[in-house]
Amino acid sequence: MPLAPANQSQLIRSSQRDEYYQTFLRNNANEAFQTLAGSKRWLDWRKEIELLSDLVYYGLTTLSGYQTLGEEYVSIVQVDPSKRKIPSPARRGLFVLCHAFLPYLLDKVLVCLENELEGEQESFSTVRRRQAASGTWSLESWLRKWTQRAVGLLSESQRSACLPAIFVLHQGLTLLHRFHAALFYIRGSFYHLSKRTAGISYLRVMGLDSSDRTIRNSYRLLGTVSLLQLVITVSLQLNNLRRRQRARKEWKLYRKLSPQRTTSSSPRVTRCILCLEERRHSTSTPCGHLFCWECITEWCNTKAECPLCREKFQPHRLVYLRNHS
C-alpha cells in the first residue's frame, strides 16, 4: 500500500489523543504519589512527577520504536527526512528531550532568575534548611543556588536590564509558538517544534484520500489568517514599545528642565517606596497608592500591578498628580 504524507487534521488528532493519555497518566501518578508521600511533598515534586510521566509515556512508545497511542489511532508512522526509514534512536531521543525535558528546564530557570532579580527569592540558608529537613536533593534548590551565584556577579544596572530581558524572552517564546503553528497550518509538516528540531515527519498508512486537498487548502487559509494576525500583533507591540521609550525620554528631559520643588511647607517628607527617595512627580495608581512617575512606569513595564497591594491594572490608568507634593 503506498504511503502519503499525513495532513494537518491527522497530526492534530494524533497530538490531542496523546495529550489525553498523558494527562491520564499524570493524574494517576500524582494521585498515587500524594497518597503515599502526603500533600506537602506532592506540592514540592508535582512538576517532576509530570515530567517523569511524560518520559515514561514516550519511553515506552517513541524511544522503543513503537507508535504512540495517538499515532496508532489515526494510522500514521514516523519517518526521517528521507521519507524512507523510521527515525534513528538518536533522532527519537532528541525529540523526547526537546519535547518533554527542555520546556521543564527552561521554565524552572526563567522562574528562578525572575524571582532572584526581583529580590523575592529565598535566601540560600533557608533553602538549605528546608532541603535538610526534607532529606532530599531537588533540581529547584540546585537552580536557586546557581542563579544566586550568577546574579550575584551582576552589577545593579545589569540586573535592571536583565529583568525586562526575561519578560521579552517569555513574549518571544509565545510568538515563536504562534508563528510555528501558523507555519504548520500552511505547510502541514511539523506540528511540534521538537519534531521540527529532530526532523521527524509522518506518513499515513491509509494512502491517498480524495478529501486531502480540501483539508490542506482549508488549513492553509487558517494559517494565512493566523500569520496575518501575528504580524499585526508584533507591529502593535513594537509600536507601543517605541511610544513608551519616546515618552520616557521626553519625561526625563522635562524633569531636568523643570524640576519639582524639593522643599515643602509641610514638615512631613513623602517617600516613594520603589526608589526610597522623596517622591517626585507624584503619580497615583487606581488603588490610590502614590509613587514617582518614572518609578511606577518602569515597574509597569514588567508587572502591571500595584507594588503595595498587588492590584492588577493597565498602565494607561496611572494618574499624574499636578501640583501635588
Side-chain angles (χ1 to χ4, degrees):
M1 178 181 296
L3 301 178
N7 58 41
Q8 293 92 325
S9 63
Q10 291 172 323
L11 297 179
I12 292 175
R13 288 203 307 271
S14 171
S15 177
Q16 290 173 341
R17 198 73 173 182
D18 284 331
E19 288 176 1
Y20 168 78
Y21 287 112
Q22 285 178 257
T23 302
F24 178 79
L25 186 60
R26 290 173 189 169
N27 292 340
N28 281 274
N30 281 323
E31 184 179 352
F33 188 87
Q34 185 177 7
T35 302
L36 294 174
S39 298
K40 185 178 183 301
R41 288 184 180 272
W42 171 73
L43 288 173
D44 293 335
W45 291 92
R46 65 187 186 279
K47 294 290 186 181
E48 287 74 14
I49 295 171
E50 293 178 357
L51 172 64
L52 182 61
S53 301
D54 292 343
L55 293 177
V56 168
Y57 181 81
Y58 286 111
L60 295 175
T61 54
T62 301
L63 279 179
S64 301
Y66 299 107
Q67 291 175 292
T68 65
L69 296 176
E71 295 165 359
E72 185 178 358
Y73 176 71
V74 295
S75 300
I76 58 177
V77 293
Q78 296 181 359
V79 290
D80 64 4
S82 68
K83 309 292 185 183
R84 297 176 179 271
K85 298 184 296 183
I86 63 173
S88 63
R91 285 185 183 275
R92 300 197 300 266
L94 178 61
F95 158 68
V96 174
L97 182 68
C98 295
H99 191 73
F101 184 73
L102 189 60
Y104 162 83
L105 182 61
L106 184 61
D107 178 68
K108 286 285 187 182
V109 171
L110 290 179
V111 168
C112 288
L113 278 175
E114 187 176 4
N115 290 339
E116 182 65 28
L117 290 170
E118 289 178 348
E120 297 176 355
Q121 189 71 289
E122 296 174 294
S123 65
F124 180 59
S125 58
T126 304
V127 175
R128 285 201 302 178
R129 284 197 300 269
R130 192 175 67 175
Q131 181 179 343
S134 61
T136 57
W137 177 90
S138 67
L139 178 63
E140 186 174 359
S141 62
W142 182 84
L143 285 175
R144 284 176 175 173
K145 177 182 176 181
W146 179 81
T147 52
Q148 283 181 343
R149 289 179 177 177
V151 173
L153 299 176
L154 301 177
S155 64
E156 193 64 31
S157 60
Q158 290 173 330
R159 292 189 186 189
S160 302
C162 284
L163 194 57
I166 293 178
F167 174 77
V168 171
L169 181 59
H170 276 294
Q171 296 296 318
L173 290 174
T174 302
L175 295 175
L176 176 62
H177 281 287
R178 291 179 59 183
F179 174 75
H180 185 266
L183 192 63
F184 163 73
Y185 293 144
I186 296 173
R187 301 286 300 276
S189 300
F190 304 98
Y191 186 51
H192 298 104
L193 276 170
S194 51
K195 286 192 173 70
R196 183 180 295 275
T197 303
I200 296 176
S201 55
Y202 285 96
L203 296 177
R204 58 184 177 197
V205 181
M206 295 182 294
L208 296 174
D209 188 359
S210 59
S211 61
D212 183 72
R213 178 171 297 182
T214 303
I215 293 174
R216 290 185 180 276
N217 289 335
S218 300
Y219 276 99
R220 286 193 185 101
L221 178 60
L222 176 61
T224 303
V225 174
S226 300
L227 196 58
L228 180 61
Q229 182 188 21
L230 179 61
V231 170
I232 295 174
T233 301
V234 173
S235 301
L236 291 175
Q237 289 182 352
L238 291 176
N239 185 49
N240 290 336
L241 178 62
R242 286 194 295 266
R243 290 175 59 185
R244 286 200 301 267
Q245 290 177 343
R246 191 185 307 117
R248 191 179 300 117
K249 290 180 181 178
E250 291 176 355
W251 186 257
K252 287 181 179 179
L253 179 62
Y254 169 76
R255 191 175 64 177
K256 290 178 181 179
L257 294 176
S258 57
Q260 201 175 32
R261 292 180 304 171
T262 56
T263 58
S264 175
S265 58
S266 173
R268 182 173 61 90
V269 178
T270 57
R271 293 185 180 273
C272 171
I273 68 161
L274 294 178
C275 63
L276 300 179
E277 297 179 358
E278 185 176 357
R279 193 168 61 240
R280 297 169 299 180
H281 307 290
S282 300
T283 304
S284 174
T285 59
C287 52
H289 294 116
L290 301 180
F291 307 92
C292 299
W293 167 263
E294 186 175 5
C295 294
I296 190 61
T297 52
E298 289 287 345
W299 173 274
C300 290
N301 284 336
T302 55
K303 281 193 172 183
E305 62 181 22
C306 176
L308 280 175
C309 64
R310 304 296 181 182
E311 179 181 340
K312 304 290 184 181
F313 63 89
Q314 295 299 320
H316 68 267
R317 297 185 62 194
L318 292 172
V319 179
Y320 173 65
L321 306 178
R322 295 183 181 274
N323 302 320
H324 185 281
S325 58

